[in-house]
Amino acid sequence: MRTPVPSHSLPADAVKAPDGLRLALIITLVATLGRLAVAATLPVGVDEAYSIGIARQISLSYYDHPPLHLWLVGLWARLTGSEDLFVLRLPFVALSAVSSLLLFALGRQLFSAAAGVWAAALFNVTLIFGVAHGTLILPDGPLLASALGAAFVVSRILYAPRPGEQLGNWALAGLLAGLALLSKYHGVLLIAGLFIFLVTTPHRRLLLRPGPWLAAAIALVLLLPVLVWNLQHDWASFRFQSGRGGWGGEMRPFGVVESLFFQSIYLLPWIALGMAIVLIWALVRGPWRERRWYLACLAILPIAIFTGLTLFQRGLPHWQMPGWVFVLPLLGEALSRLPRLLRWLAAAIAVANGLLLGGLATVTTLQARTGQFDDTVTSLFRSDPTTSLMPWDGLRDVLAAQDLPQNERTFIATFNWIRAAQLNRLFGKDIPVLCLCGDARHFRYLNPPADFAGWTGILIDSPGAIDDDARQLKRFRALDPAVDANLVKNGRVVTSLKLRVGHDFQPQG
């Protein structure tokens, strides 16, 4: 019977590698400055607009996700007294810096300081981690920071134990795992991955001690707000998320290929290829290379489950990213072992990646705000991919020109949750925003239509929906003529909208 490689069986140069903390701090600082520039200039996206508006209501949990990122937004807005987009993005930029340093610490703990530096660098130059999850108001920021924190603390328990501190470290790991659960339901897969690692290695003996069970109990306690909210709302969030997996749909033979392609785009293909190779190698070697197996166990469940589900329904490429983040130290270790010339080449590619991300962010921002590259965009794409970042602030002038609202018993309504998200961010602090649609997301709890019977409604939506008198007269006893409320950029209509006032709202069952 083969014996797993002891935790100390690492190359001498890895064990004796100089402390790279200073370099990791420099990388994180430079990346943070870049993220701050993006945070200050990039227009608000749909998910961000939705989060900002919904977060005004502090709730035990929410329809789409557990509450942590919404609590963070809502409480930060109250603390600062501002809903300025740059201000609200600041905590998420800070969390990305924490994640970067945690990756360094995890790589150093498991392999070497050099591996940790590479892991931090890779995190900051991938498209999904370097920009989206590192800057925007999304649940992934808190999830990554808490999951990496939990993984690091458990690695300390496994490979740098200190007498008298073990129970406290398990408690801390449970707290961080609980925060991961409060961020996104992916936290369950983090805990499952840790369990798989323990039962497949000699560390299974730890399951006979109170530490892991204390950690599990603490994580469960932190999840209680989510459980209570779902219990009160007919398990709405669990049903929504489980329904997105697509079990039972028609088989999509090329779904996995399509999913892997888009995952590689999110990670950048040349980085994704290296990540896939080291992950497969870690899985093949199994528990016999224990430290690599640790990261493989943390990584594989989100990647395998959400990629496998694309056999039945098209998924979203970011669902697998909480798994891929744990592959970064694996790739970092592989890069740290390369000959010096190849390491310099890899470092040059990493710097080029960073410059590429900066260029992409600049072009995206300019196109979203000004349409400066319209000719190029229309020649490359069927539609402008930055349309979802189009600022909606011009609608303030449209309402002011119509002298709206004219009384306090007035709400704004639309028939699509995405439009409701933008309208709610813009107006929801002063005027209730309703989503009169089947897929109303958390709007059904934020502003239930039944609470606004008899009110005046300002309808804003596509011309086809607004001009449908037969449909709208079922909701209102009288309707005013519609007026244009188009979103215009660079002299062209980007989104066709109309505005219409309805009187005496009659909620439909």
Side-chain angles (χ1 to χ4, degrees), residues 189-238:
L189 302 180
L190 169 74
I191 295 171
L194 287 171
F195 183 76
I196 290 171
F197 172 78
L198 290 176
V199 299
T200 56
T201 64
H203 296 290
R204 65 179 67 89
R205 64 183 180 273
L206 291 173
L207 295 173
L208 300 176
R209 300 176 183 175
W213 305 107
L214 173 65
I218 292 173
L220 182 60
V221 168
L222 263 67
L223 186 62
L224 282 177
V226 178
L227 297 175
V228 170
W229 186 92
N230 273 278
L231 180 63
Q232 294 172 339
H233 297 88
D234 194 26
W235 307 103
S237 183
F238 291 159

Side-chain angles (χ1 to χ4, degrees), residues 89-415:
R89 284 172 170 169
L90 288 177
F92 296 84
V93 173
L95 284 170
S96 70
V98 171
S99 294
S100 176
L101 294 175
L102 282 170
L103 274 166
F104 164 74
L106 183 60
R108 181 175 63 175
Q109 178 65 55
L110 294 176
F111 306 116
S112 67
V117 169
W118 276 110
L122 291 166
F123 175 82
N124 288 295
V125 299
T126 51
L127 181 61
I128 188 70
F129 301 129
V131 180
H133 292 172
T135 307
L136 308 183
I137 300 169
L138 299 170
D140 304 88
L143 171 68
L144 295 178
S146 53
L148 288 167
F152 171 67
V153 172
V154 173
S155 74
R156 296 274 298 174
I157 294 170
L158 298 173
Y159 301 117
R162 293 185 179 181
E165 295 184 5
Q166 294 296 78
L167 204 59
N169 282 335
W170 277 116
L172 178 57
L175 173 65
L176 291 166
L179 292 177
L181 288 170
L182 278 176
S183 301
K184 232 176 172 181
Y185 295 122
H186 282 72
V188 173
L189 302 180
L190 169 74
I191 295 171
L194 287 171
F195 183 76
I196 290 171
F197 172 78
L198 290 176
V199 299
T200 56
T201 64
H203 296 290
R204 65 179 67 89
R205 64 183 180 273
L206 291 173
L207 295 173
L208 300 176
R209 300 176 183 175
W213 305 107
L214 173 65
I218 292 173
L220 182 60
V221 168
L222 263 67
L223 186 62
L224 282 177
V226 178
L227 297 175
V228 170
W229 186 92
N230 273 278
L231 180 63
Q232 294 172 339
H233 297 88
D234 194 26
W235 307 103
S237 183
F238 291 159
R239 288 189 291 108
F240 167 70
Q241 291 293 353
S242 62
R244 302 176 82 186
W247 288 113
E250 292 185 6
M251 182 70 74
R252 303 174 65 246
F254 298 103
V256 168
V257 175
E258 177 189 65
S259 176
L260 291 173
F261 170 76
F262 284 109
Q263 289 174 58
S264 73
I265 297 300
Y266 275 36
L267 294 166
L268 295 180
W270 42 95
I271 296 177
L273 178 61
M275 294 175 75
I277 291 170
V278 296
L279 176 59
I280 292 171
W281 186 239
L283 291 169
V284 169
R285 300 303 296 271
W288 313 113
R289 291 293 183 267
E290 193 180 282
R291 297 181 184 222
R292 296 174 188 169
W293 179 242
Y294 177 65
L295 293 170
C297 288
L298 296 178
I300 192 58
L301 289 180
I303 297 170
I305 290 173
F306 292 114
T307 303
L309 287 175
T310 61
L311 284 170
F312 304 97
Q313 180 174 308
R314 181 174 284 108
L316 296 175
H318 71 268
W319 291 350
Q320 292 89 344
M321 295 304 127
W324 284 116
V325 75
F326 288 108
V327 184
L328 293 174
L330 284 173
L331 183 55
E333 191 232 357
L335 291 172
S336 71
R337 293 172 177 269
L338 290 175
R340 182 183 295 256
L341 181 61
L342 291 180
R343 288 202 307 271
W344 277 106
L345 177 60
I349 293 173
V351 172
N353 271 359
L355 296 174
L356 173 64
L357 293 186
L360 285 174
T362 301
V363 169
T364 300
T365 299
L366 288 173
Q367 177 60 21
R369 289 192 175 278
T370 68
Q372 183 172 335
F373 305 103
D374 275 351
D375 292 341
T376 303
V377 168
T378 54
S379 67
L380 294 175
F381 305 98
R382 292 181 181 178
S383 60
D384 186 349
T386 68
T387 297
S388 62
L389 296 171
M390 172 74 186
W392 284 52
D393 299 73
L395 289 178
R396 293 186 186 276
D397 296 333
V398 175
L399 263 67
Q402 300 297 316
D403 194 24
L404 296 172
Q406 295 183 348
N407 62 73
E408 292 184 356
R409 286 171 55 85
T410 299
F411 62 81
I412 293 174
T414 188
F415 313 117

